[in-house]
Amino acid sequence: MALSPASSLSSLTDDTPELTKDVDLENVYHLVSGVVRDLSLPGGSISLPSEAQIEMEKIEKLLVGGAYRPNHKVAVSGKSTLLNALLGCSVLSAADMGGACTSVVTEISYQEGSEAVATVLFKTRQQWETELRHLVTDVHDANNPDSLGKLANVCSRQDLKKMGTVEKQEMLPEQSKELESSLIDNLLDDPAVKDKLGNASTVSGTPKDIREKLKPFWGAATWPLIARVNIRGPFPVLSSGIVLADLPGHGDADIVRNKVADQYMQDANTIFLVAPINRAIDDEGVQNYLKKHISQSIIDGRIAEDSVVLVLTQHDVIGSNADTASSKDAEIEELTNQLKTHKSQKKQPKDSKHSRLPETRKLRASLGIASYVPETERIGGISVQQGRCLAVISALQHKYQSIYANVSGASAPPRPIPIFCVGSSDYLILHDHSPTKTAIFSSKSETGIPALYTHTMHIGERQGVSDAIHLLFLTYQLLNQSSITVEGDDEGSEIRLEKECEQEVASLVQSIEKMFAMIVDESSPLIDAAKQQSLHVFQAVAETHKWNQYLALMRRQGEFGSTNLNALLTSPIADSESLQRLWHVVFNEDIPRTVLHCMKSIHTAISSSVSNLRHRSVDKSLHSIETSVQDLSSTITKGITIQQRQARRIWAPLMKTRLSPQYASVAAITPGRNRFARMKSNESFIEGSAVPIFEALKAGIKGALAECVELVQAELQHRVRVIVRDVTVITADDKCPSFLAKVRADKEESIFEMMDSLKARVQ
């Protein structure tokens, strides 16, 4: 499967692409696996030098069961129908499972064969015990109905009734504590729970069967125990190495589930930002969601690496005009009530039933219900939907450019962000050849799913090619470092070259340190501003929470329900537009430009010395240098990107760490008179401790950026030494074991040929 230009995505056939194996990548992984196998055979095993052992360990981490398994994670936030359309069958269903499937992360990956396998991973005993303690104490504090319901669903025991009865009586603290401990022990030891904790359950079947076989796990008594779900199956869209992740949706009111989704999105290779097309323009919640994640993606450098895609769903819903949807809420509610009235009429005479059919159709059409839309409306609706799609895409591109200009400060507009309008329900009807009539579209290509399908395949292919190039380079390094060598004729040339390269590295490190100092300086007054507002934040949270909610917030380290106290305390820093702009400029513009300049200088210095080295082919050495420097540049850039994404999100976790003892102290306040007033000791605490707490934030960001510098410097110094050694040290083939000399002779040329071929595919 050859890489296609982005423009080819608009010229698709009606069907999604057929599953084909990438022969180039298959050959790469066959070659690499063969080298690892040859070096590990009992008859040819040698004690590898330490440098070679490092490369061998890197390769073995990428090889699972003797074959390479690409793992390009694409995060999709809570849109199961969209994922089903991409997969080609209904594997997930939030409706059938009561919304539970988007309460945990569900990863879906490729597996050859005809069967799919789903593995349900349960929480550990320690994780569940922590949750139970929170829930039980919530019940005890205020007979919280939500918490009580959760416990009752998980384990229908009489302990809860006992708790509710005793709650009405006056209890001594020790009696209350004893009852809570007994209840927790009983719940943990219940057979329905105990056998699951820390374990995993597996089901298998055809891809279409998996959803039914997973249903028992989504019952109210089980799903709270689930930590994650992994599904593997013969899904063609994932064959290029994509792992689709169904995450809790952006509208989730639970701060903990939101954090799970945000953390996964931070680590994911690509993000699909999903929103309904009828709400993408004027719905405040959707707009805030898009603005938040687009801004974060720009700062994270995702725009530069093309790893953000906007997907607009419900393209196949009639009567959902994007620019008037929000003003139609009252009308839609009235129509819904009327429709319910019609549905409640049972066993009507035939003539009565037929007489009200047109009105029912009209109501359903107004509500966007597919099966009752007349054919004439369906045909006319296609052009309406296409026009709406173009209008919404244009508006979102304009919005994106505005956000980009605000975050980056750049005057030149960025490249357009990929946006797809999709009708998942219509696509599944057409794909399954269902007798159900579609709402709008009569061909798969019209639904937009094939275009998104192909784009997703290309994402995986590009990443797979990039990973294969890196894997080949590691294999070359392994062979090179495994060789028995003697020093070259001119040891002084090696020393001079290494010093020259080290000077370039030192210059790069100094430049990065200066850039990071700018970030620290910009952060300092913002941290001071957050310190000044901290008392007001604590007061506002106390005023807007009932005493039991406030207590639950303290027990959970400042994170409960929809409130994240740690984020509120640090929002003047994290949400600062000036800091966001500086962060973007430093990490996405200045550092990449400085790294590129350093790499060019190192490449020039090493290449210019090759002509003096008579022991090797000049062409071969130049090829080796170019490949080594390119891989080094890519490795350094990726490393900095990971570090900067972690540092960018450091503020709230740092605050949580600093306030942890105070949270525990307040949560431990005993019941009694004026309990809520005593819990408000937070306010006096922050007045007296704000200075050291917020000074710790300054030290924290400084330390995180310093750690990034250290990692970059260590990697650069190690890799530069390896590159210099590669071109200045003579390989003594006559002193190598015959099998190693043969492996190197057989594979080295093939490695460079494959790398050249793969590079041509991504240029």
Side-chain angles (χ1 to χ4, degrees):
M1 180 177 64
L3 279 174
S4 304
S7 60
S8 69
L9 297 180
S10 61
S11 56
L12 297 169
T13 60
D14 190 46
D15 291 315
T16 49
E18 293 293 330
L19 173 61
T20 57
K21 287 189 176 183
D22 193 315
V23 177
D24 288 347
L25 300 189
E26 290 285 327
N27 290 338
V28 168
Y29 308 137
H30 178 74
L31 182 149
V32 173
S33 299
V35 170
V36 172
R37 182 177 59 253
D38 289 344
L39 294 182
S40 305
L41 289 174
S45 179
I46 62 171
S47 179
L48 295 176
S50 58
E51 295 86 351
Q53 191 61 47
I54 292 174
E55 306 303 328
M56 176 69 89
E57 291 172 0
K58 290 179 181 178
I59 294 172
E60 288 177 338
K61 287 181 180 179
L62 298 174
L63 297 177
V64 179
Y68 178 70
R69 292 290 181 265
N71 189 31
H72 187 88
K73 295 186 177 181
V74 176
V76 185
S77 187
K79 292 298 174 184
S80 303
T81 306
L82 169 63
L83 292 178
N84 289 335
L86 287 173
L87 297 173
C89 60
S90 295
V91 177
L92 303 168
S93 176
D96 289 350
M97 303 176 190
C101 63
T102 50
S103 298
V104 298
V105 175
T106 301
E107 287 189 339
I108 311 165
S109 56
Y110 181 74
Q111 173 178 280
E112 291 185 349
S114 60
E115 283 200 341
V117 177
T119 302
V120 180
L121 305 172
F122 293 99
K123 295 173 183 175
T124 65
R125 182 182 177 91
Q126 182 179 0
Q127 289 173 328
W128 183 234
E129 182 176 356
T130 300
E131 290 190 23
L132 279 179
R133 291 194 181 281
H134 289 324
L135 290 170
V136 169
T137 48
D138 287 346
V139 172
H140 177 249
D141 286 336
N143 200 20
N144 185 299
D146 292 335
S147 299
L148 186 63
K150 263 189 177 180
L151 287 173
N153 284 331
V154 172
C155 182
S156 56
R157 300 182 63 89
Q158 296 301 311
D159 305 68
L160 293 175
K161 294 182 179 179
K162 180 180 178 182
M163 170 72 81
T165 302
V166 179
E167 181 70 21
K168 298 175 183 178
Q169 307 172 8
E170 290 189 7
M171 297 180 60
L172 296 174
E174 56 269 22
Q175 291 176 315
S176 173
K177 187 174 182 181
E178 181 181 351
L179 180 58
E180 288 179 11
S181 298
S182 174
L183 176 59
I184 291 171
D185 290 341
N186 286 336
L187 288 171
L188 285 171
D189 292 333
D190 188 286
V193 175
K194 185 178 180 180
D195 294 341
K196 293 182 177 66
L197 297 178
N199 294 319
S201 294
T202 300
V203 296
S204 61
T206 67
K208 292 184 178 181
D209 293 339
I210 285 296
R211 182 177 123 188
E212 290 297 320
K213 293 191 175 184
L214 279 174
K215 275 188 177 181
F217 295 97
W218 302 115
T222 306
W223 77 258
L225 303 174
I226 296 175
R228 180 167 295 200
V229 178
N230 296 325
I231 300 174
R232 305 179 306 282
F235 308 112
V237 70
L238 308 181
S239 61
S240 62
I242 291 291
V243 177
L244 285 176
D246 188 21
L247 306 180
H250 69 84
D252 201 316
D254 187 90
I255 195 68
V256 176
R257 287 197 292 268
N258 272 328
K259 282 185 64 178
V260 169
D262 287 345
Q263 181 62 53
Y264 196 99
M265 292 173 78
Q266 173 189 330
D267 299 333
N269 302 96
T270 298
I271 296 173
F272 282 6
L273 298 179
V274 184
I277 190 171
N278 62 308
R279 296 169 55 200
I281 301 301
D282 61 355
D283 185 277
E284 183 179 358
V286 174
Q287 282 289 297
N288 290 337
Y289 159 74
L290 292 175
K291 181 179 179 181
K292 170 190 172 184
H293 286 292
I294 289 175
S295 299
Q296 189 63 66
S297 297
I298 294 170
I299 298 168
D300 284 348
R302 292 191 178 277
I303 301 302
E305 59 188 28
D306 292 325
S307 62
V308 179
V309 177
L310 297 188
V311 182
L312 305 177
T313 58
Q314 299 183 18
H315 187 35
D316 50 2
V317 175
I318 292 179
S320 303
N321 194 315
D323 58 0
T324 61
S326 62
S327 64
K328 295 282 186 180
D329 287 346
E331 181 181 348
I332 289 175
E333 184 177 357
E334 176 63 24
L335 289 170
T336 304
N337 292 332
Q338 292 181 40
L339 184 60
K340 288 180 179 178
T341 300
H342 282 288
K343 290 177 68 176
S344 66
Q345 299 175 14
K346 298 180 179 180
K347 297 183 179 180
Q348 296 288 338
K350 290 185 177 180
D351 57 338
S352 173
K353 179 179 179 181
H354 286 291
S355 66
R356 63 186 175 85
L357 184 58
E359 187 176 359
T360 303
R361 282 179 171 173
K362 180 180 177 181
L363 292 174
R364 289 182 175 272
S366 299
L367 292 171
I369 300 177
S371 58
Y372 279 75
V373 178
E375 191 67 23
T376 54
E377 291 185 26
R378 187 194 323 275
I379 295 172
I382 293 176
S383 50
V384 172
Q385 301 302 84
Q386 290 173 341
R388 178 178 69 169
C389 176
L390 292 174
V392 174
I393 287 177
S394 176
L396 287 177
Q397 291 289 7
H398 180 75
K399 181 72 174 178
Y400 162 63
Q401 291 177 4
S402 175
I403 295 172
Y404 184 86
N406 185 56
V407 172
S408 67
S411 57
R415 288 177 299 175
I417 193 169
I419 303 178
F420 295 86
C421 301
V422 298
S424 304
S425 297
D426 271 8
Y427 176 82
L428 286 170
I429 290 172
L430 293 165
H431 181 78
D432 294 338
H433 303 289
S434 170
T436 304
K437 287 187 176 181
T438 58
I440 298 288
F441 304 112
S442 57
S443 69
K444 294 180 185 179
S445 60
E446 291 172 346
T447 67
I449 289 295
L452 179 60
Y453 182 110
T454 303
H455 188 81
T456 305
M457 291 282 286
H458 285 179
I459 290 172
E461 183 183 359
R462 291 185 185 99
Q463 184 62 41
V465 170
S466 176
D467 290 347
I469 292 172
H470 179 62
L471 193 58
L472 284 170
F473 175 75
L474 291 178
T475 306
Y476 163 74
Q477 290 281 70
L478 171 62
L479 289 173
N480 194 52
Q481 298 298 323
S482 299
S483 303
I484 305 298
T485 60
V486 296
E487 298 299 328
D489 297 332
D490 189 357
E491 188 174 347
S493 297
E494 177 186 350
I495 295 174
R496 287 194 297 272
L497 179 57
E498 188 167 341
K499 285 185 176 180
E500 185 176 353
C501 292
E502 287 178 349
Q503 289 175 356
E504 293 294 340
V505 171
S507 177
L508 171 61
V509 169
Q510 289 174 4
S511 297
I512 294 176
E513 287 176 336
K514 289 180 180 178
M515 297 176 202
F516 286 175
M518 293 168 59
I519 291 178
V520 172
D521 291 343
E522 180 70 24
S523 304
S524 184
L526 297 173
I527 294 173
D528 292 336
K531 178 178 64 178
Q532 296 300 321
Q533 297 180 29
S534 59
L535 176 59
H536 172 73
V537 171
F538 270 108
Q539 291 172 338
V541 169
E543 290 172 2
T544 55
H545 286 69
K546 296 179 180 179
W547 72 269
N548 56 310
Q549 294 173 328
Y550 194 84
L551 184 57
L553 188 67
M554 295 300 102
R555 287 196 187 104
R556 293 163 175 81
Q557 305 288 293
E559 300 168 357
F560 177 68
S562 60
T563 302
N564 187 335
L565 180 54
N566 307 300
L568 291 172
L569 288 166
T570 56
S571 62
I573 317 164
D575 298 338
S576 166
E577 291 185 357
S578 62
L579 182 58
Q580 289 178 356
R581 185 173 297 114
L582 178 61
W583 200 280
H584 168 76
V585 170
V586 166
F587 280 102
N588 301 322
E589 295 179 3
D590 292 349
I591 288 182
R593 185 167 50 246
T594 306
V595 169
L596 181 61
H597 176 76
C598 177
M599 294 300 103
K600 286 182 177 179
S601 298
I602 290 175
H603 183 275
T604 300
I606 298 177
S607 298
S608 62
S609 68
V610 169
S611 59
N612 298 322
L613 303 173
R614 296 183 299 274
H615 61 279
R616 298 192 66 170
S617 163
V618 172
D619 290 340
K620 184 176 180 181
S621 294
L622 289 174
H623 198 164
S624 169
I625 294 165
E626 181 180 5
T627 302
S628 299
V629 173
Q630 286 177 349
D631 189 81
L632 172 58
S633 180
S634 175
T635 301
I636 293 299
T637 302
K638 287 180 181 178
I640 292 176
T641 297
I642 293 172
Q643 290 294 313
Q644 75 105 338
R645 290 176 186 174
Q646 293 174 349
R648 177 77 182 87
R649 296 162 173 81
I650 199 174
W651 308 110
L654 276 177
M655 179 60 68
K656 181 178 179 179
T657 300
R658 296 298 301 180
L659 290 180
S660 181
Q662 176 63 14
Y663 287 146
S665 175
V666 173
I669 291 177
T670 56
R673 192 177 182 85
N674 298 323
R675 188 182 189 185
F676 196 16
R678 285 182 284 145
M679 284 194 292
K680 292 181 181 179
S681 63
N682 276 330
E683 296 169 15
S684 58
F685 167 80
I686 201 65
E687 283 186 300
S689 306
V691 172
I693 287 175
F694 284 89
E695 286 298 317
L697 296 189
K698 295 180 181 180
I701 186 62
K702 190 174 182 179
L705 295 175
E707 181 181 354
C708 179
V709 172
E710 291 174 3
L711 292 173
V712 169
Q713 186 174 18
E715 182 67 18
L716 278 168
Q717 290 174 340
H718 167 70
R719 293 288 293 275
V720 165
R721 282 196 297 269
V722 171
I723 296 172
V724 171
R725 180 179 181 275
D726 182 28
V727 299
T728 58
V729 175
I730 301 172
T731 300
D733 289 337
D734 59 327
K735 295 191 177 182
C736 287
S738 58
F739 86 92
L740 183 54
K742 185 178 186 303
V743 170
R744 188 173 63 248
D746 289 344
K747 307 298 184 183
E748 194 171 65
E749 198 66 35
S750 297
I751 287 174
F752 284 111
E753 289 178 357
M754 287 184 177
M755 280 197 282
D756 289 342
S757 176
L758 292 172
K759 288 175 184 177
R761 289 177 58 176
V762 293
Q763 288 177 349

